[in-house]
Amino acid sequence: MSQAQRAALDAAIRSITFDTSRPPAELREGFRAMTAGRPIPPGVTITPAEIGGRPALAFEPERVTAEGTILYFHGGAWVVGSPATAQALTAGLVHRTGMRAVSPDYRLAPEHPFPAAIDDALTAYRDLLDQGVPAERIIFAGDSAGGGLAVTTMLAARDAGLPLPAGAVAFSPALDATLSGESMTTKAGVDPLFTRESLGQLLAHYVAGQDPRQPLLSPAVYADLAGLPPLLVQVGSNEVLLDDSTRFVARAAAAGVDVILDVTADVPHVFQSSAGILDEADAALDRAARFVLDHVSQAVLA
């Protein structure tokens, strides 16, 4: 792996001004500009779609080689982002797995605070099930807030009595709205993108004055995790959100969940989106794809 690549990515992120105190409309435009131009892997077709009554993007590999569907939730702190801003990362999974994906454009805060995003994600999952896609052939995936949605949507599905997907992949998931992890302090200044303060400004739009200690806002600390399907959680060691992952994985394992914690050294938040320019990103996506294929195949064979 390349220390030079990691240093260059860190410097590039630090050169970007993303002022979280700005109005959401300005933040959304800035985020679109920041994520534009990321290369799409060859052989993946992206088309507008609809799922659960919401706009979406559908991802189709040139040759479908795996039976199943990835339900992908984009990141953006529940305030910014869209399926388009995460399309390179979603397409990277599709390219590596040979599996279709669909990514819903769930409602954003502050116009639609908690639990609107979870409601939309759960409705999208119900739609897939209603279309006849078996739960054991569905994998949830997502990055940042979307990684958090992958987890909380499974919790909501479990509590609603729905069959759970074959598993989930969470890239740098946001899993603690209380921002109480030690890494909020120990990684301050190491993280080139976020601080506890900047995350607090973004989360305030989504939490909207509600108690952040609710299970679906802070599952790393407060949720009952029993009964969840196999999980892969990938995170970088340079993240203030690192302890969201480590505490969640420890509690999930204690609850009997088959969970893998995959920490990559000296890389930032959602480093997997830098596939093609960072060796660690490509390697992490390769591991994520193997997890997806292993668990969908096992579920189908079972």
Side-chain angles (χ1 to χ4, degrees):
M1 301 303 176
S2 169
Q3 183 63 41
Q5 290 176 347
R6 285 178 283 183
L9 178 60
D10 185 277
I13 294 172
R14 291 180 189 277
S15 71
I16 298 170
T17 300
F18 190 63
D19 183 358
T20 54
S21 67
R22 292 161 54 196
E26 293 182 20
L27 289 175
R28 290 165 189 162
E29 184 55 41
F31 191 69
R32 278 193 293 268
M34 188 170 69
T35 57
R38 290 175 177 168
I40 305 299
V44 177
T45 302
I46 305 172
T47 56
E50 183 179 298
I51 187 166
R54 295 291 304 167
L57 288 180
F59 297 76
E60 183 90 10
E62 189 171 31
R63 191 163 67 93
V64 176
T65 57
E67 196 171 5
T69 299
I70 299 168
L71 184 58
Y72 194 93
F73 304 114
H74 71 82
W78 300 280
V79 175
V80 304
S82 70
T85 62
Q87 64 182 354
L89 189 46
T90 312
L93 272 182
V94 169
H95 175 70
R96 285 168 169 81
T97 59
M99 190 181 298
R100 297 181 177 93
V102 61
S103 182
D105 193 2
Y106 58 85
R107 290 171 293 168
L108 299 177
E111 298 89 343
H112 305 284
F114 170 82
I118 298 171
D119 291 344
D120 288 351
L122 185 62
T123 300
Y125 180 51
R126 287 183 187 273
D127 193 351
L128 277 182
L129 296 174
D130 290 344
Q131 291 175 36
V133 183
E136 62 269 19
R137 295 184 184 175
I138 299 172
I139 287 277
F140 288 2
D143 63 280
S144 193
L149 270 181
V151 170
T152 53
T153 302
M154 285 191 298
L155 293 171
R158 180 200 64 188
D159 293 349
L162 295 175
L164 293 180
V169 175
F171 302 122
S172 299
L175 297 167
D176 176 20
T178 70
L179 302 178
S180 59
E182 288 186 7
S183 57
M184 290 288 163
T185 300
T186 59
K187 299 300 179 179
V190 178
D191 189 321
L193 182 61
F194 287 127
T195 64
R196 177 189 269 127
E197 291 72 26
S198 65
L199 286 171
Q201 289 174 326
L202 292 167
L203 269 169
H205 294 300
Y206 182 57
V207 176
Q210 301 176 77
D211 185 352
R213 295 170 295 181
Q214 297 178 59
L216 294 184
L217 279 171
S218 299
V221 187
Y222 294 105
D224 172 9
L225 305 176
L228 293 184
L231 308 172
L232 171 64
V233 179
Q234 291 187 340
V235 65
S237 71
N238 286 5
E239 301 194 45
V240 292
L241 286 169
L242 174 62
D243 281 357
D244 283 39
S245 291
T246 58
R247 289 177 300 155
F248 171 77
V249 167
R251 293 188 66 247
V257 178
D258 181 2
V259 59
I260 298 169
L261 175 64
D262 182 350
V263 182
T264 298
D266 299 327
V267 294
H269 187 63
V270 195
F271 67 95
Q272 300 87 345
S273 64
S274 297
I277 61 173
L278 180 69
D279 292 343
E280 288 86 346
D282 287 285
L285 280 180
D286 288 344
R287 295 192 297 273
R290 285 195 296 272
F291 176 91
V292 169
L293 291 172
D294 284 349
H295 287 86
V296 169
S297 297
Q298 289 173 11
V300 171
L301 289 172

